[in-house]
Amino acid sequence: MRRVLALVVAGTLAAATLPAHAQDEEKAPYRPTPQQVVDRMLALAQVKPTDYVVDLGSGDGRIVLTAAKKYGARGLGVEIDRGLVRDARAAAARDGLSDRARFEIQDLFETDLRDATVLTLYLLPEMNRKLAPRILEQMKPGTRVVSQEWGIGDWQPDVRETVAGTEEWTGWVKERGVFLWIVPARVAGRWQVERGDAAGGFALDLWQEYQMVDARDDRGGVAARFRPIKGSEVRFTVPAPSPLAGDYVGVVEGAMMQGEFTTPAGAKGTWRAARRGDASR
Ligand SMILES: C[S@@+](CC[C@H](N)C(=O)[O-])C[C@H]1O[C@@H](n2cnc3c(N)ncnc32)[C@H](O)[C@@H]1O
């Protein structure tokens, strides 16, 4: 995965924008995101008026300000540079956005992410990697994370794009990677599934890495093929000739899942599942 991501970001500004010595450090230098890239990041995250957009390392505030101005969203930018926070607050006041676009002087590693529905990042690879457990722990299933230039460790993006943007300090047009992740529900563990028809129930032993899920049959569970989960939505297939064969679609809510299935013959029905055991990993 790292190699794939490295290839995707190759040819972007990665090496050029951030001095080699800074890439090992934990403080990303200030580099404003070109407005075209800001626009694309927010469009990729499908920002809506109901969203709360948090930009970690918010610089002059342009991402949060654009989210408020263009999409009517609320937002918070956190930044350790006082001068940049002052500039961002002044821009918010000038545009009449102070009630919706807030800026705080804060270390981004201490920012509470529980209310964020969209998280934006333009940091350094090691910073993103370090943030991953916090993102997965605190952000709710279905919330979105967008980063430009860098991935988040070995967490594979759900969407990746290349976007051209004009650098303000050189005037050069450069291409860079923009990546979207949808925070996955936690489904690892043993589940007991009940189908609402004569086929009855079965166990699923789920192993999970980020949005990738494997249903293992080495402990008596059914071997099912899972698609990458999208937020709270699960999709899996139990292959024929099993009497349980079918395509299953459902929604995870904590320790419960429920949804619908379609058999290979086209019959439809409902299913429910309850978590019976701890996460396998
Ligand atoms: C590459 S700039 C991105 C600015 C803005 N997000 C944008 O896209 O235009 C990274 C910003 O992160 C800030 N920063 C670096 N380390 C930080 C930390 N630990 N806590 C808060 N801000 C930090 C820097 O001061 C800098 O303004």
Side-chain angles (χ1 to χ4, degrees), residues 156 158 184-193 202-217 221-239 244 246-252 256-260 271-275 280-281:
Q156 187 170 340
D158 292 286
R186 292 167 178 233
V187 299
R190 169 159 279 229
W191 296 78
Q192 179 61 32
V193 184
F202 60 96
L204 280 177
D205 268 320
L206 302 186
W207 293 64
Q208 179 173 14
E209 265 185 345
Y210 307 113
Q211 68 273 57
M212 310 305 286
V213 176
D214 269 345
R216 309 270 297 258
D217 62 359
V222 162
R225 288 194 299 266
F226 268 73
R227 305 237 193 106
I229 57 179
K230 287 257 152 58
S232 299
E233 186 192 280
V234 291
R235 285 176 181 268
F236 62 94
T237 300
V238 178
L244 302 164
D247 292 323
Y248 294 70
V249 182
V251 172
V252 187
M256 301 294 293
M257 289 191 224
Q258 58 182 326
E260 296 183 345
W271 63 276
R272 297 170 66 83
R275 199 196 296 267
S280 309
R281 65 177 174 194

Side-chain angles (χ1 to χ4, degrees), residues 28-33 55 57 63 79-80 106-108 122 127:
Y30 175 53
R31 297 281 186 273
T33 298
D55 185 28
I63 293 181
E79 173 56 62
I80 40 171
Q106 194 178 80
D107 182 349
L108 62 86
Y122 179 22
M127 297 175 82

Side-chain angles (χ1 to χ4, degrees), residues 147-171:
S147 173
Q148 62 134 323
E149 293 227 8
W150 301 108
I152 305 177
D154 59 357
W155 181 6
Q156 187 170 340
D158 292 286
V159 180
R160 56 187 87 206
E161 288 189 355
T162 304
V163 181
T166 309
E167 302 298 341
E168 284 171 28
W169 67 97
T170 60

Side-chain angles (χ1 to χ4, degrees), residues 17-18 26-34 38 41 55-64 78-82 84 104-111 120-124 127 148 168 176:
T17 48
L18 302 174
E26 288 220 334
K27 183 188 176 304
Y30 175 53
R31 297 281 186 273
T33 298
V38 172
M41 288 171 78
D55 185 28
L56 294 181
S58 49
D60 67 0
R62 60 184 60 200
I63 293 181
V64 169
V78 302
E79 173 56 62
I80 40 171
D81 183 317
R82 286 172 183 276
L84 288 169
E104 302 290 346
I105 302 163
Q106 194 178 80
D107 182 349
L108 62 86
F109 291 109
E110 308 204 331
T111 302
T120 56
L121 306 171
Y122 179 22
L123 300 169
L124 294 173
M127 297 175 82
Q148 62 134 323
E168 284 171 28
R176 58 181 74 201

